[in-house]
Each structure stands twice: as structure tokens, then as C-alpha cells.
Amino acid sequence: MNVICSTLNAKYIHTNLAIRYLKAFAAPEFNIQLKEYTIKDPAMNIVSDLYQQKPTIIGFSCYIWNIEETIKVVNMLKKIDPSIQIVLGGPEVTYDTVDWMEKLPSVDFIIIGEGEHSFKQLLTEMNGEGEYRNVHGIAYRENGKVRVTPQMNKLDLKELPSPYRFPEDVAHLGKRVTYIETSRGCPFNCQFCLSSIEIGVRYFDREKIKADIRYLMANGAKTIKFVDRTFNISRSYAMEMFRFLIDEHLPGTVFQFEITADIMRPEVIEFLNNEAPKGLFRFEIGVQSTNDYTNELVMRKQNFEKLTRTVTMVKDGGKIDQHLDLIAGLPEEDYSSFRKTFNDVFELRPEELQLGFLKMLRGTGLRLRAADHDYIYMDQSPYEILGNNVLPFNDILRIKQVEDVLEKYWNDHRMNHTIEYLVTKVFPSPFDFFQEFGSFWDDQGWSRIGHQLEDLFRRLYSFLESKSVSEIDIIAGLMKYDYLINHKYKPRKPWWEQSSNKQTRTEIYKQILENPSLLGQTYLDLALDEKDLYKHTMIEDLSFDLSAYLSTGSILRMPSSLLAYFDPANKGTIIFPVNI
């Protein structure tokens, strides 16, 4: 038999861990070929490539992000060669399995739940007697009827072979995200999440995991993401792994974790702040909502006060970037309540704030009880909500406008100083700024066209002008600072019209050349001659004292200037306040 395990990843940089577990578990009896594509690849290209491998069996790993494209591929393959046996598995088809079998006549088998043992059993029967009733946890057809077999007990994860050591993966480790699993299951019961369905948490063998991580790093892996649903549920386990990664990491490696912030003890954070190198770890934290009633309805236990303590301690440590998640559309969270949730979380100033929309996943309690809150949602994946009893579609559209500009203007960190000033000094709250700007952005049609960096600055300035915002000169100065400090090279044409005239700039340059100590020791260390000064710097007028702002955060209105030095070796830009 020629067996292929395949999937369509969301992006090229992603890798699929599931099909690697299937390949490792099936060996040595079966030699499985892995074939990964992306959802952006044309279906015909995928079909052509798979067909040319002359497969007997193709197994597809299915999720909400790839199921629709996977179905197109499967239907085309079956039309071309009906003898190819098609097997689906993964979270998207584990629930409503009979419906999937009836809906997809091109599919011969569906693996339900944990697939390593069941898939190997299925291959054995397909290669032998074909007694499919003996295979645990599958759906198949018998005499035109769909049959479903009972699932077996959960696997002993300590016995699973490593999925990380295939020679064909080595060349790609430095270019893609490597996903690693040290446990399965989740102790919590959040009703919007598939992880709530599996009771209990099981762990892989710790020493095997450490050996795999050493192997991955030695072979070039740069980004290793732990897919454990709650990495820190066991404090002793998390501490052991943190200690191991701190002690044995190789330069340039980054480890990402999903953590539950309100159960993380202060002593753990203090340990990380003291011991972890900056940039080694990255935390993803699901906040979802700060509405206590909403959290109660979805059986989500969360102490926002303790979560705030954790996020604040980590941020103050300056070692670990944090990505916080929100979900719009949870039960009884209307527009006003979500505004409060957003502002509560934005107050923590996470490096990234991801605003997502509730998806009614198959098998979850929230989908099963959708009628309780009058949910309407997409019939096809990703099953995103279109409204409920307190959040109509019009409010969802408004929140999507917030999401659009939040991603561009906060998560990409193109103008941190400007946004901080706007959300604290100009608009009633962070949410109000992003909402008003997002609505303006949408009204202008900008959500339907591309943009360059300069466009983002011009469009924000245009919005502020339309609002007749006071002290727009101060804001423009902060925007100029943000623009220049993030440039690696001297801009040919900045987004604003240069305000200082040539005579003024010449006078400032003259004074700097005569007395370079005016700009401090950092400038003196550059040892710029007249030619370099003119070639690699630019001067811009400001209406506030930049030196006072950078040292205290306060705005002191007075004419001043800035000098931006652009390192010719592209090592970054240095901004010097100029009060001459």
C-alpha cells in the first residue's frame, strides 16, 4: 500500500503535528509519506501533486480553517480515481461524524478522536481482511449504512514514539514553526472550546520531550510552540521545563506557551524575570471576557485581579512578550460590556491584543445550547457568529472595525507613543479611539485597499483632522518621532511636509558641529564629521520638549527639534532631542 498523510496548513510556516504522530506510530509496519500544503494553494495543484504519488490511501487532517478546501480536494481526487481510499481525521470531523459521512460520499473512513492507534488498526485491516468493525473509533459504510465503532481507552502518551525526528523535516526546521506537545487535555470546562470535552490532563514522558527539544534545536529549529492547552497547570512541571529551557536553549531559539495567567504564582514569575534571557519565552493568554456573568455562563473560572497581577509582573520584568486574546460574542456580553472588557485588558498594555469572534465549534457545549442565547452563525466553517440575543450583527460589524485598526496600529507597534497619547489624553477610552478610527477607516473605503507605512500615518492624521482634535501639532510631533525611530534608513519622502526651513536646519547643524556635546555622550561616540552629519541625519521641528517627554512622559509645550541619525549599517535609528 502507498499511504499518504496530508493536510492544508493555514500558512507555509506552520507544520502539522498530527500527521507526524500518525507516521511515527504506524512505523515500521507501514511507511507513510507526509504531504503538506496551504489553504492558499489552488486545489488543482494539490490534487495533481497527490495523484502523481499514485496513492492507495490518503488521510487528511481536518480543522475549521481547512475543511472547506480539503473537501474540494477530496471530491476531485475521488472523481479522478475512485479506487483511492480517503480517510479524514482531526477535531473538525470528530464531532457530527455521521453527518459528515452522509454529507461526503467521497470519504471512505473518518477517524474519531485520538487517531494514532485507530489509524494503524485501519491500515492493518485495509491491508488484510477488511474487518473494519474491529477498528476502534472509526466511521465507515457497510451495505450503504454508516457504522460507528466504539473508541478505545485513551493512549498512554509515555509510550508514543517521537514525531519530531523525520529526516525530511530537518531542512525546514529553521524556516517554520515547530509545534511540540507535552500534554493532552485541559482541566477547565470552557463551553466554547473543544478542549473542555476531554476530561483530565495526560503527560508525555518528560525526558523524551527534553531529548526531542535538544534534537530540534541542534537541527536548526528557531520557533518552538508548545500546544499544551494550559502549560502551567502543574507548577512543578512548568518550573522544571522552564529551568531546562533556560539552561539548554541555543541562541536565537524562541519558545511559545499558552498559559493560564490567574493560576501562575508570583514566585514563578520572579524566577522567570530573574533567570530567563530576554526574548526566549513568549506567553499567549486567553482572557476572552472580564464580564463575570458571561464567564459563569460558559463555565469559565477566571480571577481577573490575579490575571492582572501576572500580566503586570511579566511586563515589568521586560523579558517575555505577551499575547492576550479576547472573544467578542460570548453569552450576554453586549456591545457595552465588550467595550468594558476591551478597556480592562488594554489597560494592561499587552504587546499584542488579539480580538477574535466567537466560533460555534462542533461538539462544544455552547453550540449544543445555541438556542438558549438566540445564536445565529455561519453554516460552514469557521462557524463564526452572526448575532445573538444581545449582540446584533450591526454591533459585530462595529467591533470588526475595531479589530481592523487595532491590528495595524497597536499590534504592529508602528506608533506606540502616538497611540498611547491618543488613548489616554484625547479619546474617552482606548476602545473609543479604535472604534471611531475604525469606523472612519471603513467609511473611507480603506479596508478594501492596500497600504504602505506612510499611508498609515497619513490616514491617522486625516482622521484626527476630521475630528478637529485639539493640540494636533503635539500629536503630529509624536507621529514624526514614531515614524523616524522605527526607520532603519533615511526616508526619501516622509509622510509629512518638512516644517523647518533650510536656513534653520543649517544653523542647527552649524551649532552641532561647533559643539557636539550639546547632544550628549551617545552622539559624541558616533564621531560624525560634517559630511556624515548631513548625509545620515535629518532635522525636524517639534512643538514640545522631546527631552522632557522621553525622560518623564510629560508634554511640555515649547519649540524644539529632533535630530534623527540613521545608521548606514542599518543597525537602527537614534533620535536626539535638540534644544538650541
Side-chain angles (χ1 to χ4, degrees), residues 112-281:
I112 302 168
E114 211 163 31
E116 290 90 347
H117 191 274
S118 296
F119 189 61
K120 187 172 184 177
Q121 272 192 317
L122 178 59
L123 294 180
T124 300
E125 291 300 331
M126 294 174 83
N127 197 40
E129 301 300 319
E131 295 292 337
Y132 300 123
R133 65 175 64 90
N134 296 331
V135 181
H136 292 95
I138 65 166
Y140 66 101
R141 294 184 186 83
E142 184 178 78
N143 299 324
K145 292 186 177 181
V146 175
R147 307 291 184 187
V148 179
T149 64
Q151 292 178 255
M152 65 179 293
N153 293 331
K154 296 295 182 182
L155 297 172
D156 181 353
L157 301 183
K158 292 180 172 60
E159 301 300 320
L160 287 184
S162 172
Y164 308 108
R165 300 188 180 231
F166 301 123
E168 59 266 36
D169 282 338
V170 170
H172 306 287
L173 288 176
K175 308 169 191 171
R176 307 174 79 176
V177 177
T178 299
Y179 295 92
I180 197 162
E181 188 178 33
T182 71
S183 65
R184 288 182 184 174
C186 181
F188 303 112
N189 297 303
C190 307
Q191 295 297 287
F192 52 81
C193 179
L194 283 175
S195 299
S196 66
I197 298 171
E198 181 177 343
I199 299 173
V201 179
R202 295 169 292 146
Y203 285 90
F204 288 79
D205 183 271
R206 298 185 188 189
E207 296 309 313
K208 287 183 179 178
I209 290 293
K210 291 176 183 177
D212 282 332
I213 292 172
R214 291 187 189 102
Y215 169 86
L216 291 168
M217 290 191 297
N219 284 279
K222 296 301 181 186
T223 302
I224 298 177
K225 183 172 182 178
F226 289 76
V227 297
D228 306 61
R229 300 309 300 164
T230 305
F231 183 80
N232 62 315
I233 189 63
S234 166
R235 181 173 45 166
S236 62
Y237 175 71
M239 284 291 286
E240 179 182 336
M241 291 301 294
F242 286 144
R243 178 80 268 174
F244 162 72
L245 297 173
I246 290 169
D247 290 344
E248 300 199 27
H249 74 277
L250 296 181
T253 310
V254 177
F255 298 95
Q256 300 182 20
F257 311 89
E258 292 188 30
I259 69 160
T260 300
D262 59 348
I263 66 171
M264 183 168 271
R265 299 291 300 167
E267 56 266 29
V268 176
I269 306 169
E270 289 172 359
F271 163 77
L272 294 172
N273 286 344
N274 291 331
E275 300 286 336
K278 181 177 174 58
L280 179 64
F281 297 145

Side-chain angles (χ1 to χ4, degrees), residues 415-432:
M415 48 186 88
N416 287 353
H417 296 86
T418 304
I419 301 304
E420 184 65 32
Y421 185 84
L422 290 171
V423 302
T424 56
K425 305 293 186 184
V426 179
F427 288 83
S429 77
F431 185 87
D432 293 300

